[in-house]
Amino acid sequence: MKQPELYIISDLHLCDGGPCEDFRSDDERALVSFLFHVSRRPAATLIINGDFIDFVQIQPRPRMWYDARLGPSEAESLEKLELALEAHAPVFDALRRVVASGHTLRFHIGNHDLDLIWPRVQARLRARLGGREAAAISFGTEYRQAGLYVEHGHQADPANRFPDQPRVIHLDPQGVPRLERCWGTRLVEEFFNKLEALDGCEMLDNVRPRMQAALIIIRHALRHRELHATLYAGAHLVFEVLRSLESEEDVTRAAEELGVNRRILGWLASIAGWLGLGRTELTAKSATPGLHVPSLQQAYAYGARLRDSEQLAHLAPFGSDEARAQQAGRVPKQATSAQAAYQAPLAQRILTRARQIATQHPQLQAVCFGHTHQAIAEMLRIDDGPGWPLAPSAARYFNSGSWTRTLDLSDLPPHQATFEVLRNPQHYRAGRDFLRVTWPDDPACPRVETLRWE
């Protein structure tokens, strides 16, 4: 029996229409048009491969989490869902049309829509989309069939993975079930959401690479006192991690878990010193409150000295390698090849996980992730074939990209990667990526096309 064609989209990040909304009206119109196209196909399956609704950025009340480890309850997740349903009614109407046309709709759970694991959230979404056809709607974390494997991909990202997924519901001290919070969720809820509430900063969480963007934001914030409170919130999160480390080996391990170079943690310790984090605990014998590792103590003390001498972010260690090289007249050569685009640590972890999956399941021909917002379009290929080879297996890696706007700093010369560029929406690429999967010749050999809806 011939497989029905399959469409994969991901990373739409529908919000509540507030300051953190990334999914704009023209994006919504394009998505509705795409879903209308899918609904008119003779037989199709649509997989929304994670981060469909950005529950992490929907915060109708302050602090909709319990503590550093535990997030929203089922009732709170349901409250967030209702806001998304109201803000993006045309999208949910279009999805209902897809289901009513006899097609299958599957939601994969990502790190920004972990809330879809709640039974009441699933039931409400089925009711909104399915009616009598609700059985055609399913939820899960992976899809494996006919030589194809699909998952969101956040489990390859140390900052956004859950150690024991799908066991992500835990009881708080009062016995209320709550969702687990990963580091990335905390960073968005406690830092980026505050940053995006500032005028002109709505898109800053859509900049890649994230760490380079963070450094640009930090350099700008250090010079502007009105941003210090927001910067303090973000630095405080990292400072909590730094104070828990007991040895240099712990620093290396923490850097790996956060998905950054360990030198970045030293820079952040300096920023903590510049901001005076923990100073209320200072004693005559301690100038580095709560830090146990010598390298972090030195970095914190350096930041404190900069603050005391009224020096700012243009001095190391605040500047990026690119900025310091430029100031010295040595602008690094920009990498333009597809291979270079996938040398970043997160990309390498993504490819490693995809390769492991392909090795565990030799029958697979295609492994499809989302999460990175980076579709493997023709410009990113490293050979004549589609996708990315996962040697030694025969499988290829594909990514469903994103439907939100993204700014890739690797496309810019270092001297152009400024905070003003980050704030300018004209520099952001509209996503609208999707994968179309067919089985034209062999029911076990999928053909995957990386496409963009115009």
Side-chain angles (χ1 to χ4, degrees), residues 321-334:
D321 287 342
E322 292 84 359
R324 289 201 299 274
Q326 184 188 350
Q327 290 167 2
R330 304 188 307 275
V331 179
K333 181 180 179 181
Q334 285 292 289

Side-chain angles (χ1 to χ4, degrees), residues 411-430:
D411 294 337
L412 298 175
H415 68 279
Q416 293 183 12
T418 65
F419 187 77
E420 288 68 29
V421 168
L422 268 60
R423 294 183 63 178
N424 188 341
Q426 295 182 354
H427 293 289
Y428 287 73
R429 169 191 177 270

Side-chain angles (χ1 to χ4, degrees), residues 76-284:
E76 290 168 332
S77 294
L78 196 58
E79 180 182 355
K80 294 182 179 187
L81 174 62
E82 293 296 343
L83 294 174
L85 293 176
E86 180 180 353
H88 297 284
V91 172
F92 295 100
D93 290 340
L95 285 171
R96 187 180 184 94
R97 186 182 302 115
V98 169
V99 175
S101 299
H103 301 328
T104 299
L105 175 60
R106 181 170 177 81
F107 293 98
H108 279 177
I109 296 170
N111 51 300
H112 279 251
D113 54 10
L114 188 67
D115 308 61
L116 292 179
I117 203 169
W118 292 117
R120 289 170 59 196
V121 170
Q122 293 182 11
R124 176 67 180 101
L125 201 50
R126 280 195 174 97
R128 175 64 175 85
L129 302 181
R132 290 191 300 255
E133 297 83 11
I137 302 172
S138 63
F139 298 83
T141 57
E142 65 181 52
Y143 175 96
R144 179 158 54 93
Q145 185 173 322
L148 175 70
Y149 180 92
V150 186
E151 71 166 50
H152 182 59
H154 61 280
Q155 287 297 97
D157 182 353
N160 288 292
R161 69 182 299 271
F162 299 94
D164 196 21
Q165 185 174 295
R167 298 177 180 85
V168 294
I169 298 176
H170 312 282
L171 299 180
D172 68 19
Q174 286 72 45
V176 177
R178 293 183 176 275
L179 292 179
E180 184 176 334
R181 295 176 85 205
C182 62
W183 165 257
T185 295
R186 290 195 65 194
L187 186 64
V188 172
E189 289 183 327
E190 300 179 41
F191 176 56
F192 272 105
N193 285 353
K194 294 180 179 181
L195 189 65
E196 289 194 38
L198 302 175
D199 184 43
C201 298
E202 297 86 355
M203 301 295 291
L204 293 186
D205 68 324
N206 287 3
V207 183
R208 303 292 186 275
R210 272 273 175 87
M211 189 50 65
Q212 185 180 354
L215 292 175
I216 293 172
I217 293 168
I218 288 169
R219 285 170 56 84
H220 177 82
L222 286 169
R223 291 186 172 98
H224 294 79
R225 188 171 298 277
E226 69 274 12
L227 296 177
H228 284 185
T230 301
L231 178 61
Y232 185 95
H236 183 74
L237 292 177
V238 180
F239 193 55
E240 287 183 19
V241 175
L242 300 183
R243 295 172 74 175
S244 69
L245 306 179
E246 300 287 342
S247 66
E248 298 292 351
E249 291 76 15
D250 287 347
V251 176
T252 300
R253 190 179 306 111
E256 292 175 352
E257 291 176 354
L258 295 174
V260 301
N261 187 299
R262 68 165 283 159
R263 183 176 55 184
I264 297 294
L265 296 186
W267 290 347
L268 292 172
S270 292
I271 291 166
W274 191 88
L275 290 169
L277 294 180
R279 281 194 169 191
T280 56
E281 302 171 20
L282 283 176
T283 67

Side-chain angles (χ1 to χ4, degrees), residues 7 40 54 159 195 260 304 307 322 330 365 380 389 408 417 443 448:
Y7 292 86
R40 290 173 60 87
D54 201 328
L195 189 65
V260 301
R307 180 187 182 94
E322 292 84 359
R330 304 188 307 275
Q365 299 295 310
L380 276 180
D408 189 347
V448 182

Side-chain angles (χ1 to χ4, degrees), residues 10 49 59 82 101 116 163 174 262 281 287 302 400 441 452:
S10 70
N49 192 29
Q59 301 287 328
E82 293 296 343
S101 299
L116 292 179
Q174 286 72 45
R262 68 165 283 159
E281 302 171 20
Y302 177 78
S400 45
D441 304 314
R452 186 168 184 268

